[in-house]
Amino acid sequence: MWSLLWANLGRKRSRMILTLASITVAFILFSLVEALQYALVGGVDLAGQDRLMSMHKVSFTQPLPRNYLERVRAVEGVRSAISLNWFGGYYKDERTQVFSYPVLGEEALHDVYPEIVVDPVQMNSWMTERTGALIGRAMADTMGWKVGDVIPIRSAIYFKKDGTNTWDMKIIGIFDNPNGDTNGLYFHFDYFNESILNQDNIGWIGLRLKDKNQAAQIAAKIDSMFANSSAETKTSTEKAFVQSFANQMGNISSIVTVIVVAVFFTMLLVTANSMAQSVRERTSEIGVMKTLGFSSARVTGLVLAESLLITFIGGLLGMLLGTLAVKGVAHAVKQFLPLMSVPSSAYVLGLICMTILGVLSGALPGWQAWQLRITDALRRS
Amino acid sequence: MSTLVRIHELTKNFQRGSELVQVLQRLDLEIPQGDFLALMGPSGSGKSTLLNLIGGLDRPTSGSIEVAGHDISKLNDTALGRWRADNVGFVFQMYNLLPALTAQGNVELPLLLTSLSASERRQRAAAALQLVGLSERAQHKPRELSGGQEQRVGIARAIVSDPTLLLCDEPTGDLDRKSGDEVLDLLQALNDQQGKTIIMVTHDPRAAERARRVLHLEKGQLVRESV
């Protein structure tokens, strides 16, 4: 049967190549779109289930008083907590962004974010080095920075009392994160705080719970603690926080879904038309096969198998080329979209799409082949 | 000789718009095992319809067709397909080879429905091609063969599964005289040497001369038999 399938695929080479090309292009696009979606909202999936984010009720750009951190730490059920600020850092030129965060409660950084892996010796050194910074592996690779380098990081948001906006930072350690972003820089809150005008404000609090099942109660407790104050809080799971951050760029999932559906619908029309044409040209051959004893089910099965084969060849080729393209692009956009890659879920979804499209595009010609009466088919030869 | 095909009161009607066309009318016929029968008659006399009914490609309006004791008019589509694969070989006027397959691939096609292994299928197809004298053209596609060669591949495909009955619809109708003679020689040899029962529809009296019996149909009825 394989020989028959292959022979049928190769009978009209130019049509087959064009059909395969359209499927391949569709799946390249699918891979790129999936990779882009993952780059934009992939952090949602990586976000810890036992972590809460507490920020100003209005927006995370609004500051919270420094003492909130201590008060949050004191809440029962909170295992550890740190605060971070959005520094708006860049290196030399504003286009070269450096995602930098002043950290308060540095000793708990690894407890709140255990996925951050750093050499304990480097971690200890960082704790004692006032101007020290921990940078991620991706940042080190992209910028060519190494331990011991002193780098001037400027802020697009904060200014020092002397009117400048540059903080010299000494790289003390490089951290890894096996499943996530390593394009960040952490430095000491005190080093940042001591030189700015409007002191003792933090951006948001990241806290880890003793029991993740207590998330809702603890979030409510924290928010009620600061209710009716000048800086009310909104506490949610980290996942919800990342999702709301991602949603600021629009409902990415919906946009991606619309694009993918449109692409695949077009591809379905192309493949189904190609299959229908191919089967129509073979009416008398189908009649001959039925004459020889091939059942309607077997003939229809052959049509469906041919349709699936085309879709899978084109689809797998498309996913392969798409993955290579994403790898190429990922390097160029590493600084802005560090998670740019085709997620494994996209491959599973791709295989499901290939199967559905293969079956749908072969369904009508398969049904026609099933219905075809031998005498009618032979009369057309 | 025992009777291989027994046809009793066979009637076939077609509906053409509002008109009912009676193609075969209460036809009775017996064909013994090992016979070589030619069916002749003018266009529309019902020869091809009769051939299709004997081969289980179509169903009678009424009456019965027994082949080797089986009433094939009572079989469902799947069982009829299986029966055709096991018992009948078809030779067509226009050869009807699959253009995407080689001669070898075309001859192997009916064997895909058997439990034979790939190597057994190859051997059987090679033997059938050798029998029709086309071993050296086994890897050629139909478009690379002459009409006579294509028809010989068609005959190899018809006999590869060793059927008892060969049904030939105008097998020389599209061939020149020399090629036609070669095809008829082959059919005659299959009948004489291998005992295949052959029913051949033809317009050509020269082809009919090769048969043991000639039946003439007119307006759906047998009008004459000559030997």
Side-chain angles (χ1 to χ4, degrees):
Chain A
M1 291 295 173
W2 273 107
S3 56
L4 195 56
L5 276 176
W6 282 116
N8 281 333
L9 281 188
R11 68 169 55 216
K12 294 265 177 168
R13 287 236 169 87
S14 52
R15 182 171 65 203
M16 189 48 54
I17 288 168
L18 288 172
T19 306
L20 277 176
S22 69
I23 298 170
T24 302
V25 168
F27 275 92
I28 290 174
L29 192 59
F30 170 75
S31 307
L32 292 173
V33 166
E34 283 289 319
L36 184 64
Q37 183 184 25
Y38 183 70
L40 293 173
V41 299
V44 175
D45 293 327
L46 299 175
Q49 299 292 316
D50 61 348
R51 279 199 294 260
L52 295 180
M53 303 290 288
S54 201
M55 59 181 182
H56 196 287
K57 195 174 181 177
V58 175
S59 161
F60 82 101
T61 56
Q62 296 294 311
L64 297 172
R66 175 180 183 153
N67 65 29
Y68 275 29
L69 178 61
E70 281 311 313
R71 293 175 67 184
V72 166
R73 275 180 171 166
V75 172
E76 198 175 330
V78 174
R79 176 179 152 140
S80 52
I82 60 166
S83 77
L84 299 124
N85 289 58
W86 180 251
F87 185 67
Y90 61 92
Y91 179 66
K92 291 183 180 172
D93 187 311
E94 275 196 57
R95 285 174 297 184
T96 312
Q97 285 195 47
V98 176
F99 298 115
S100 357
Y101 310 94
V103 185
L104 181 59
E106 302 91 315
E107 67 286 353
L109 177 66
H110 188 257
D111 193 60
V112 177
Y113 295 103
E115 62 269 35
I116 292 177
V117 181
V118 61
D119 181 338
V121 177
Q122 291 181 346
M123 189 70 178
N124 288 336
S125 303
W126 179 58
M127 294 299 290
T128 56
E129 177 64 51
R130 193 177 67 91
T131 63
L134 289 178
I135 64 169
R137 180 76 56 194
M139 182 177 284
D141 291 346
T142 309
M143 306 299 286
W145 293 336
K146 56 189 185 299
V147 172
D149 286 355
V150 176
I151 46 168
I153 300 295
R154 303 174 81 175
S155 173
I157 300 169
Y158 297 99
F159 285 86
K160 290 181 171 178
K161 291 170 189 164
D162 62 8
T164 64
N165 64 343
T166 304
W167 277 259
D168 288 327
M169 298 184 199
K170 185 179 181 185
I171 298 170
I172 302 295
I174 294 172
F175 68 83
D176 290 293
N177 183 346
N179 299 315
D181 179 15
T182 54
N183 196 35
L185 181 154
Y186 297 110
F187 65 106
H188 298 292
F189 178 82
D190 286 343
Y191 176 48
F192 152 77
N193 189 52
E194 68 190 13
S195 51
I196 58 173
L197 282 169
N198 196 7
Q199 292 179 324
D200 294 329
N201 286 313
I202 57 175
W204 64 91
I205 298 167
L207 56 116
R208 191 169 170 198
L209 305 174
K210 288 176 183 165
D211 176 5
K212 66 180 176 186
N213 296 320
Q214 297 284 307
Q217 294 95 308
I218 293 172
K221 198 169 177 180
I222 292 170
D223 289 344
S224 66
M225 198 159 72
F226 302 116
N228 301 317
S229 71
S230 57
E232 293 190 17
T233 57
K234 182 183 159 193
T235 306
S236 59
T237 61
E238 189 180 49
K239 194 164 183 160
F241 173 79
V242 179
Q243 181 74 65
S244 69
F245 186 76
N247 284 349
Q248 289 178 19
M249 284 174 266
N251 194 338
I252 295 155
S253 290
S254 298
I255 295 166
V256 166
T257 305
V258 167
I259 293 172
V260 168
V261 167
V263 167
F264 283 155
F265 183 71
T266 311
M267 198 189 77
L268 173 66
L269 295 181
V270 170
T271 316
N273 181 51
S274 170
M275 278 305 298
Q277 209 173 333
S278 167
V279 169
R280 207 161 40 240
E281 286 165 3
R282 277 185 272 158
T283 300
S284 68
E285 291 174 37
I286 290 168
V288 170
M289 290 176 75
K290 286 189 168 184
T291 301
L292 297 178
F294 283 71
S295 64
S296 293
R298 199 181 277 256
V299 171
T300 301
L302 276 169
V303 173
L304 283 176
E306 196 177 317
S307 169
L308 282 166
L309 194 60
I310 296 168
T311 318
F312 268 83
I313 292 172
L316 291 174
L317 187 64
M319 292 293 286
L320 175 70
L321 294 175
T323 303
L324 293 175
V326 166
K327 278 195 176 156
V329 172
H331 190 70
V333 298
K334 200 173 177 181
Q335 200 182 348
F336 307 103
L337 298 169
L339 294 179
M340 185 82 174
S341 64
V342 182
S344 51
S345 61
Y347 294 108
V348 176
L349 185 62
L351 289 174
I352 292 170
C353 287
M354 287 172 216
T355 309
I356 292 172
L357 288 166
V359 170
L360 284 180
S361 54
L364 181 64
W367 181 77
Q368 287 170 334
W370 184 294
Q371 293 288 315
L372 193 65
R373 291 180 65 227
I374 297 173
T375 46
D376 291 340
L378 294 179
R379 208 172 290 138
R380 289 186 218 173
S381 64
Chain B
M1 279 192 285
S2 61
T3 300
L4 180 68
V5 181
R6 181 174 283 120
I7 292 169
H8 181 60
E9 297 209 330
L10 184 68
T11 298
K12 179 67 182 176
N13 300 332
F14 289 115
Q15 194 74 39
R16 192 178 293 150
S18 58
E19 185 191 4
L20 185 71
V21 182
Q22 294 186 311
V23 184
L24 296 173
Q25 297 173 46
R26 300 171 69 86
L27 190 138
D28 290 305
L29 175 65
E30 290 196 356
I31 303 168
Q33 180 103 37
D35 199 1
F36 187 169
L37 178 71
L39 288 172
M40 295 192 78
S43 292
S45 60
K47 332 179 277 295
S48 292
T49 302
L50 178 58
L51 199 74
N52 287 343
L53 289 167
I54 295 171
L57 302 182
D58 206 352
R59 291 182 179 280
T61 305
S62 64
S64 66
I65 306 165
E66 276 185 27
V67 181
H70 293 99
D71 186 349
I72 62 165
S73 48
K74 288 184 177 153
L75 298 175
N76 65 28
D77 284 350
T78 309
L80 200 55
R82 211 174 300 133
W83 174 82
R84 279 198 304 272
D86 293 340
N87 298 287
V88 191
F90 292 87
V91 179
F92 305 94
Q93 179 181 356
M94 300 305 295
Y95 334 123
N96 282 352
L97 301 179
L98 271 59
L101 298 178
T102 61
Q104 171 94 17
N106 269 286
V107 178
E108 274 187 48
L109 200 57
L111 301 178
L112 294 177
L113 301 171
T114 67
S115 56
L116 294 175
S117 67
S119 65
E120 286 172 322
R121 288 200 303 265
R122 266 196 302 276
Q123 283 171 11
R124 292 273 288 267
L129 281 168
Q130 192 175 27
L131 192 73
V132 300
L134 281 177
S135 293
E136 76 285 359
R137 312 289 275 173
Q139 297 311 316
H140 289 247
K141 296 267 180 78
R143 65 172 181 273
E144 297 160 349
L145 302 173
S146 68
Q149 287 172 331
E150 279 197 75
Q151 192 58 298
R152 279 150 66 195
V153 173
I155 292 172
R157 181 178 65 186
I159 60 172
V160 73
S161 52
D162 196 23
T164 38
L165 187 59
L166 276 186
L167 302 179
C168 311
D169 193 356
E170 303 266 14
T172 60
D174 202 49
L175 298 176
D176 59 42
R177 188 159 168 175
K178 183 172 174 291
S179 301
D181 283 343
E182 285 171 2
V183 165
L184 290 168
D185 289 344
L186 197 52
L187 291 175
Q188 209 161 18
L190 288 168
N191 178 247
D192 289 340
Q193 294 161 22
Q194 301 200 15
K196 300 288 179 202
T197 306
I198 300 175
I199 305 173
M200 174 175 69
V201 165
T202 183
H203 278 107
D204 180 4
R206 281 172 45 80
E209 278 174 17
R210 303 290 193 107
R212 293 173 194 267
R213 287 198 295 155
V214 182
L215 291 178
H216 294 266
L217 272 87
E218 271 180 37
K219 295 180 180 171
Q221 290 186 318
L222 289 173
V223 291
R224 186 159 44 96
E225 176 176 346
S226 52
V227 180

